[in-house]
mmCIF file of all heavy atoms in Angstrom:
data_model
loop_
_atom_site.group_PDB
_atom_site.id
_atom_site.type_symbol
_atom_site.label_atom_id
_atom_site.label_comp_id
_atom_site.label_asym_id
_atom_site.label_seq_id
_atom_site.Cartn_x
_atom_site.Cartn_y
_atom_site.Cartn_z
ATOM 1 N N ILE O 1 -5.970 15.978 -12.087
ATOM 2 C CA ILE O 1 -4.790 16.763 -11.726
ATOM 3 C C ILE O 1 -4.187 17.350 -12.992
ATOM 4 O O ILE O 1 -4.417 16.826 -14.084
ATOM 5 C CB ILE O 1 -3.756 15.932 -10.938
ATOM 6 C CG1 ILE O 1 -3.371 14.661 -11.732
ATOM 7 C CG2 ILE O 1 -4.284 15.573 -9.586
ATOM 8 C CD1 ILE O 1 -2.296 13.816 -11.042
ATOM 9 N N PHE O 2 -3.411 18.430 -12.840
ATOM 10 C CA PHE O 2 -2.912 19.173 -13.995
ATOM 11 C C PHE O 2 -1.382 19.292 -13.939
ATOM 12 O O PHE O 2 -0.799 19.399 -12.852
ATOM 13 C CB PHE O 2 -3.520 20.594 -14.013
ATOM 14 C CG PHE O 2 -5.014 20.584 -14.061
ATOM 15 C CD1 PHE O 2 -5.769 20.651 -12.897
ATOM 16 C CD2 PHE O 2 -5.666 20.547 -15.275
ATOM 17 C CE1 PHE O 2 -7.167 20.633 -12.934
ATOM 18 C CE2 PHE O 2 -7.084 20.534 -15.325
ATOM 19 C CZ PHE O 2 -7.816 20.585 -14.149
ATOM 20 N N PRO O 3 -0.744 19.318 -15.140
ATOM 21 C CA PRO O 3 0.734 19.475 -15.158
ATOM 22 C C PRO O 3 1.145 20.793 -14.528
ATOM 23 O O PRO O 3 0.385 21.768 -14.485
ATOM 24 C CB PRO O 3 1.038 19.483 -16.691
ATOM 25 C CG PRO O 3 -0.103 18.756 -17.301
ATOM 26 C CD PRO O 3 -1.310 19.117 -16.475
ATOM 27 N N PHE O 4 2.380 20.817 -14.003
ATOM 28 C CA PHE O 4 3.013 21.997 -13.416
ATOM 29 C C PHE O 4 2.330 22.406 -12.083
ATOM 30 O O PHE O 4 2.365 23.557 -11.696
ATOM 31 C CB PHE O 4 3.048 23.185 -14.380
ATOM 32 C CG PHE O 4 3.422 22.813 -15.770
ATOM 33 C CD1 PHE O 4 2.580 23.105 -16.833
ATOM 34 C CD2 PHE O 4 4.563 22.065 -16.020
ATOM 35 C CE1 PHE O 4 2.904 22.742 -18.117
ATOM 36 C CE2 PHE O 4 4.879 21.686 -17.318
ATOM 37 C CZ PHE O 4 4.057 22.004 -18.364
ATOM 38 N N THR O 5 1.713 21.411 -11.453
ATOM 39 C CA THR O 5 1.187 21.605 -10.097
ATOM 40 C C THR O 5 1.804 20.534 -9.208
ATOM 41 O O THR O 5 2.388 19.574 -9.701
ATOM 42 C CB THR O 5 -0.363 21.490 -10.053
ATOM 43 O OG1 THR O 5 -0.733 20.186 -10.544
ATOM 44 C CG2 THR O 5 -1.007 22.547 -10.911
ATOM 45 N N THR O 6 1.653 20.704 -7.893
ATOM 46 C CA THR O 6 2.201 19.719 -6.958
ATOM 47 C C THR O 6 1.107 18.887 -6.354
ATOM 48 O O THR O 6 -0.023 19.357 -6.090
ATOM 49 C CB THR O 6 3.004 20.408 -5.825
ATOM 50 O OG1 THR O 6 2.171 21.351 -5.159
ATOM 51 C CG2 THR O 6 4.246 21.099 -6.384
ATOM 52 N N LEU O 7 1.431 17.607 -6.111
ATOM 53 C CA LEU O 7 0.528 16.665 -5.470
ATOM 54 C C LEU O 7 1.250 16.120 -4.266
ATOM 55 O O LEU O 7 2.390 15.624 -4.369
ATOM 56 C CB LEU O 7 0.180 15.532 -6.451
ATOM 57 C CG LEU O 7 -0.898 14.540 -6.033
ATOM 58 C CD1 LEU O 7 -2.274 15.215 -6.151
ATOM 59 C CD2 LEU O 7 -0.851 13.306 -6.925
ATOM 60 N N LEU O 8 0.629 16.175 -3.106
ATOM 61 C CA LEU O 8 1.246 15.644 -1.888
ATOM 62 C C LEU O 8 1.090 14.129 -1.820
ATOM 63 O O LEU O 8 -0.047 13.608 -1.919
ATOM 64 C CB LEU O 8 0.604 16.292 -0.643
ATOM 65 C CG LEU O 8 0.962 17.760 -0.395
ATOM 66 C CD1 LEU O 8 0.166 18.270 0.795
ATOM 67 C CD2 LEU O 8 2.470 17.933 -0.160
ATOM 68 N N ILE O 9 2.194 13.412 -1.674
ATOM 69 C CA ILE O 9 2.179 11.973 -1.526
ATOM 70 C C ILE O 9 2.522 11.602 -0.083
ATOM 71 O O ILE O 9 3.648 11.884 0.362
ATOM 72 C CB ILE O 9 3.210 11.305 -2.501
ATOM 73 C CG1 ILE O 9 3.050 11.847 -3.922
ATOM 74 C CG2 ILE O 9 3.068 9.797 -2.460
ATOM 75 C CD1 ILE O 9 1.762 11.528 -4.570
ATOM 76 N N PRO O 10 1.588 11.023 0.670
ATOM 77 C CA PRO O 10 1.872 10.622 2.052
ATOM 78 C C PRO O 10 2.786 9.377 2.090
ATOM 79 O O PRO O 10 2.488 8.378 1.419
ATOM 80 C CB PRO O 10 0.488 10.297 2.642
ATOM 81 C CG PRO O 10 -0.501 10.797 1.617
ATOM 82 C CD PRO O 10 0.187 10.746 0.305
ATOM 83 N N LEU O 11 3.854 9.438 2.862
ATOM 84 C CA LEU O 11 4.822 8.349 2.938
ATOM 85 C C LEU O 11 5.023 7.934 4.395
ATOM 86 O O LEU O 11 5.077 8.747 5.308
ATOM 87 C CB LEU O 11 6.166 8.775 2.358
ATOM 88 C CG LEU O 11 6.177 9.287 0.890
ATOM 89 C CD1 LEU O 11 7.574 9.731 0.522
ATOM 90 C CD2 LEU O 11 5.675 8.219 -0.056
ATOM 91 N N GLN O 12 5.188 6.616 4.584
ATOM 92 C CA GLN O 12 5.555 6.104 5.890
ATOM 93 C C GLN O 12 7.054 6.076 6.085
ATOM 94 O O GLN O 12 7.569 6.134 7.204
ATOM 95 C CB GLN O 12 4.978 4.685 6.097
ATOM 96 C CG GLN O 12 3.455 4.693 6.186
ATOM 97 C CD GLN O 12 2.898 3.308 6.509
ATOM 98 O OE1 GLN O 12 3.604 2.292 6.379
ATOM 99 N NE2 GLN O 12 1.657 3.252 6.942
ATOM 100 N N ASN O 13 7.800 5.976 4.928
ATOM 101 C CA ASN O 13 9.251 5.933 4.987
ATOM 102 C C ASN O 13 9.816 6.934 3.970
ATOM 103 O O ASN O 13 9.138 7.315 3.015
ATOM 104 C CB ASN O 13 9.770 4.532 4.646
ATOM 105 C CG ASN O 13 9.276 3.504 5.628
ATOM 106 O OD1 ASN O 13 9.575 3.574 6.815
ATOM 107 N ND2 ASN O 13 8.491 2.527 5.124
ATOM 108 N N PRO O 14 11.065 7.383 4.140
ATOM 109 C CA PRO O 14 11.654 8.318 3.174
ATOM 110 C C PRO O 14 11.674 7.693 1.776
ATOM 111 O O PRO O 14 11.797 6.480 1.647
ATOM 112 C CB PRO O 14 13.085 8.537 3.712
ATOM 113 C CG PRO O 14 12.992 8.214 5.162
ATOM 114 C CD PRO O 14 11.984 7.118 5.287
ATOM 115 N N PRO O 15 11.518 8.512 0.743
ATOM 116 C CA PRO O 15 11.591 7.983 -0.630
ATOM 117 C C PRO O 15 13.020 7.486 -0.938
ATOM 118 O O PRO O 15 13.976 7.895 -0.292
ATOM 119 C CB PRO O 15 11.231 9.183 -1.488
ATOM 120 C CG PRO O 15 11.603 10.367 -0.661
ATOM 121 C CD PRO O 15 11.359 9.968 0.771
ATOM 122 N N THR O 16 13.137 6.614 -1.929
ATOM 123 C CA THR O 16 14.443 6.075 -2.315
ATOM 124 C C THR O 16 14.704 6.327 -3.780
ATOM 125 O O THR O 16 13.782 6.616 -4.563
ATOM 126 C CB THR O 16 14.502 4.568 -2.029
ATOM 127 O OG1 THR O 16 13.520 3.917 -2.872
ATOM 128 C CG2 THR O 16 14.199 4.252 -0.596
ATOM 129 N N SER O 17 15.978 6.227 -4.179
ATOM 130 C CA SER O 17 16.347 6.474 -5.564
ATOM 131 C C SER O 17 15.700 5.491 -6.516
ATOM 132 O O SER O 17 15.441 5.808 -7.672
ATOM 133 C CB SER O 17 17.902 6.410 -5.696
ATOM 134 O OG SER O 17 18.360 5.126 -5.298
ATOM 135 N N SER O 18 15.428 4.274 -6.046
ATOM 136 C CA SER O 18 14.789 3.276 -6.921
ATOM 137 C C SER O 18 13.397 3.724 -7.348
ATOM 138 O O SER O 18 12.886 3.296 -8.372
ATOM 139 C CB SER O 18 14.725 1.914 -6.241
ATOM 140 O OG SER O 18 13.928 1.992 -5.047
ATOM 141 N N GLN O 19 12.772 4.597 -6.540
ATOM 142 C CA GLN O 19 11.406 5.031 -6.849
ATOM 143 C C GLN O 19 11.391 6.168 -7.886
ATOM 144 O O GLN O 19 10.308 6.549 -8.340
ATOM 145 C CB GLN O 19 10.710 5.483 -5.588
ATOM 146 C CG GLN O 19 10.464 4.351 -4.595
ATOM 147 C CD GLN O 19 9.999 4.840 -3.239
ATOM 148 O OE1 GLN O 19 10.364 5.916 -2.795
ATOM 149 N NE2 GLN O 19 9.168 4.040 -2.559
ATOM 150 N N THR O 20 12.542 6.701 -8.266
ATOM 151 C CA THR O 20 12.581 7.736 -9.281
ATOM 152 C C THR O 20 12.554 7.122 -10.685
ATOM 153 O O THR O 20 12.412 7.866 -11.672
ATOM 154 C CB THR O 20 13.839 8.604 -9.144
ATOM 155 O OG1 THR O 20 14.999 7.755 -9.317
ATOM 156 C CG2 THR O 20 13.911 9.262 -7.807
ATOM 157 N N VAL O 21 12.695 5.804 -10.778
ATOM 158 C CA VAL O 21 12.626 5.126 -12.057
ATOM 159 C C VAL O 21 11.178 4.619 -12.239
ATOM 160 O O VAL O 21 10.628 3.995 -11.351
ATOM 161 C CB VAL O 21 13.596 3.916 -12.137
ATOM 162 C CG1 VAL O 21 13.521 3.250 -13.485
ATOM 163 C CG2 VAL O 21 15.018 4.424 -11.847
ATOM 164 N N ALA O 22 10.590 4.909 -13.395
ATOM 165 C CA ALA O 22 9.217 4.493 -13.620
ATOM 166 C C ALA O 22 9.112 2.980 -13.603
ATOM 167 O O ALA O 22 9.942 2.313 -14.220
ATOM 168 C CB ALA O 22 8.709 5.029 -14.976
ATOM 169 N N PRO O 23 8.132 2.428 -12.882
ATOM 170 C CA PRO O 23 8.008 0.986 -12.842
ATOM 171 C C PRO O 23 7.610 0.435 -14.178
ATOM 172 O O PRO O 23 6.880 1.077 -14.936
ATOM 173 C CB PRO O 23 6.874 0.748 -11.803
ATOM 174 C CG PRO O 23 6.086 2.025 -11.807
ATOM 175 C CD PRO O 23 7.085 3.128 -12.105
ATOM 176 N N PRO O 24 8.095 -0.767 -14.540
ATOM 177 C CA PRO O 24 7.720 -1.352 -15.837
ATOM 178 C C PRO O 24 6.248 -1.726 -15.828
ATOM 179 O O PRO O 24 5.665 -1.960 -14.776
ATOM 180 C CB PRO O 24 8.611 -2.591 -15.923
ATOM 181 C CG PRO O 24 8.898 -2.944 -14.518
ATOM 182 C CD PRO O 24 8.967 -1.648 -13.755
ATOM 183 N N PRO O 25 5.623 -1.742 -17.025
ATOM 184 C CA PRO O 25 4.221 -2.124 -17.075
ATOM 185 C C PRO O 25 4.058 -3.581 -16.633
ATOM 186 O O PRO O 25 4.968 -4.390 -16.823
ATOM 187 C CB PRO O 25 3.850 -1.957 -18.562
ATOM 188 C CG PRO O 25 5.150 -2.027 -19.287
ATOM 189 C CD PRO O 25 6.189 -1.463 -18.349
ATOM 190 N N PRO O 26 2.927 -3.929 -16.015
ATOM 191 C CA PRO O 26 2.745 -5.288 -15.571
ATOM 192 C C PRO O 26 2.732 -6.247 -16.743
ATOM 193 O O PRO O 26 2.194 -5.914 -17.814
ATOM 194 C CB PRO O 26 1.389 -5.244 -14.855
ATOM 195 C CG PRO O 26 0.703 -4.068 -15.392
ATOM 196 C CD PRO O 26 1.776 -3.072 -15.746
ATOM 197 N N PRO O 27 3.323 -7.454 -16.588
ATOM 198 C CA PRO O 27 3.341 -8.411 -17.684
ATOM 199 C C PRO O 27 1.938 -8.893 -17.990
ATOM 200 O O PRO O 27 1.112 -9.031 -17.073
ATOM 201 C CB PRO O 27 4.257 -9.528 -17.173
ATOM 202 C CG PRO O 27 4.134 -9.446 -15.671
ATOM 203 C CD PRO O 27 3.994 -7.975 -15.374
ATOM 204 N N THR O 28 1.725 -9.127 -19.253
ATOM 205 C CA THR O 28 0.407 -9.645 -19.641
ATOM 206 C C THR O 28 0.403 -11.161 -19.448
ATOM 207 O O THR O 28 1.329 -11.854 -19.913
ATOM 208 C CB THR O 28 0.138 -9.331 -21.126
ATOM 209 O OG1 THR O 28 1.233 -9.829 -21.913
ATOM 210 C CG2 THR O 28 0.030 -7.824 -21.340
ATOM 211 N N SER O 29 -0.594 -11.662 -18.725
ATOM 212 C CA SER O 29 -0.642 -13.078 -18.457
ATOM 213 C C SER O 29 -1.211 -13.843 -19.658
ATOM 214 O O SER O 29 -2.148 -13.354 -20.309
ATOM 215 C CB SER O 29 -1.582 -13.340 -17.242
ATOM 216 O OG SER O 29 -1.110 -12.623 -16.127
ATOM 217 N N PRO O 30 -0.641 -15.009 -19.947
ATOM 218 C CA PRO O 30 -1.178 -15.787 -21.086
ATOM 219 C C PRO O 30 -2.547 -16.299 -20.749
ATOM 220 O O PRO O 30 -2.893 -16.507 -19.573
ATOM 221 C CB PRO O 30 -0.173 -16.947 -21.205
ATOM 222 C CG PRO O 30 0.443 -17.054 -19.841
ATOM 223 C CD PRO O 30 0.483 -15.671 -19.289
ATOM 224 N N PRO O 31 -3.404 -16.464 -21.729
ATOM 225 C CA PRO O 31 -4.761 -16.964 -21.475
ATOM 226 C C PRO O 31 -4.699 -18.372 -20.893
ATOM 227 O O PRO O 31 -3.805 -19.138 -21.219
ATOM 228 C CB PRO O 31 -5.427 -16.960 -22.862
ATOM 229 C CG PRO O 31 -4.323 -17.000 -23.833
ATOM 230 C CD PRO O 31 -3.171 -16.296 -23.164
ATOM 231 N N PRO O 32 -5.608 -18.666 -19.962
ATOM 232 C CA PRO O 32 -5.565 -20.017 -19.360
ATOM 233 C C PRO O 32 -5.795 -21.099 -20.389
ATOM 234 O O PRO O 32 -6.542 -20.919 -21.339
ATOM 235 C CB PRO O 32 -6.718 -19.935 -18.333
ATOM 236 C CG PRO O 32 -7.610 -18.858 -18.822
ATOM 237 C CD PRO O 32 -6.742 -17.880 -19.470
ATOM 238 N N SER O 33 -5.128 -22.215 -20.169
ATOM 239 C CA SER O 33 -5.264 -23.328 -21.100
ATOM 240 C C SER O 33 -6.649 -23.909 -20.975
ATOM 241 O O SER O 33 -7.218 -24.016 -19.889
ATOM 242 C CB SER O 33 -4.225 -24.421 -20.756
ATOM 243 O OG SER O 33 -2.937 -23.899 -20.831
ATOM 244 N N PRO O 34 -7.252 -24.273 -22.114
ATOM 245 C CA PRO O 34 -8.584 -24.873 -22.067
ATOM 246 C C PRO O 34 -8.553 -26.207 -21.344
ATOM 247 O O PRO O 34 -7.558 -26.933 -21.420
ATOM 248 C CB PRO O 34 -8.961 -25.018 -23.549
ATOM 249 C CG PRO O 34 -7.671 -25.079 -24.256
ATOM 250 C CD PRO O 34 -6.747 -24.224 -23.482
ATOM 251 N N PRO O 35 -9.597 -26.575 -20.627
ATOM 252 C CA PRO O 35 -9.607 -27.869 -19.915
ATOM 253 C C PRO O 35 -9.588 -29.025 -20.915
ATOM 254 O O PRO O 35 -10.069 -28.876 -22.023
ATOM 255 C CB PRO O 35 -10.919 -27.804 -19.129
ATOM 256 C CG PRO O 35 -11.802 -26.851 -19.885
ATOM 257 C CD PRO O 35 -10.858 -25.833 -20.444
ATOM 258 N N PRO O 36 -8.982 -30.149 -20.512
ATOM 259 C CA PRO O 36 -8.963 -31.320 -21.412
ATOM 260 C C PRO O 36 -10.377 -31.810 -21.692
ATOM 261 O O PRO O 36 -11.258 -31.716 -20.826
ATOM 262 C CB PRO O 36 -8.167 -32.355 -20.607
ATOM 263 C CG PRO O 36 -8.306 -31.957 -19.192
ATOM 264 C CD PRO O 36 -8.399 -30.469 -19.202
#
């Protein structure tokens, strides 16, 4: 997709103001502890 074009987003419910804020990146999980 290219800037300055429109992309249709299918929605089941109306959009909300909370969705205009970019979601934070997912937290990085710590590596699993080695087995004893």
Side-chain angles (χ1 to χ4, degrees):
I1 54 178
F2 302 92
F4 319 124
T5 58
T6 55
L7 188 74
L8 288 176
I9 310 295
L11 303 177
Q12 292 186 344
N13 299 298
T16 64
S17 59
S18 61
Q19 294 170 327
T20 61
V21 180
T28 54
S29 303
S33 302

